[in-house]
Amino acid sequence: PPRRSAELEKLDPSLWLDTYYTVDTTGKSHTSEYLKEIVLQSMYNATKKFGVSVRSIVIDNASNVAKMGRYLESDNIIQ
């Protein structure tokens, strides 16, 4: 698991909700379409596993990631 900040270490461990997971993309081209599928699958998994709605995602401004973001916006998945 990732290292926790000192502030997080002070919190009651029962409040922690580790929702991260990794996707092995070895050998796959990181196209905007492929990244969109990973995001959609991740959102679906979060809903099924935790019963939550994903309200935001954090992305960088690499051209393939920015294009993926535009796809999600055009499909009204994110705003």
Side-chain angles (χ1 to χ4, degrees), residues 12-41:
D12 179 351
S14 68
L15 301 175
W16 297 346
L17 178 62
D18 289 329
T19 59
Y20 64 89
Y21 72 97
T22 59
V23 177
D24 183 5
T25 62
T26 304
K28 303 208 177 175
S29 181
H30 295 177
T31 65
S32 55
E33 294 86 1
Y34 177 63
L35 296 175
K36 176 184 170 187
E37 292 305 315
I38 290 174
V39 168
L40 292 175
Q41 186 64 51

Side-chain angles (χ1 to χ4, degrees), residues 2-74:
R3 292 181 55 197
R4 301 187 193 282
S5 70
E7 284 120 22
L8 185 57
E9 290 294 336
K10 295 175 189 175
L11 296 176
D12 179 351
S14 68
L15 301 175
W16 297 346
L17 178 62
D18 289 329
T19 59
Y20 64 89
Y21 72 97
T22 59
V23 177
D24 183 5
T25 62
T26 304
K28 303 208 177 175
S29 181
H30 295 177
T31 65
S32 55
E33 294 86 1
Y34 177 63
L35 296 175
K36 176 184 170 187
E37 292 305 315
I38 290 174
V39 168
L40 292 175
Q41 186 64 51
S42 299
M43 292 171 73
Y44 174 81
N45 290 344
T47 301
K48 288 303 236 181
K49 185 172 182 178
F50 300 106
V52 299
S53 295
V54 176
R55 303 286 296 173
S56 65
I57 59 172
V58 177
I59 61 175
D60 63 23
N61 63 353
S63 61
N64 57 338
V65 178
K67 187 174 182 181
M68 180 265 313
R70 289 192 299 274
Y71 282 152
L72 293 172
E73 286 176 338
S74 69

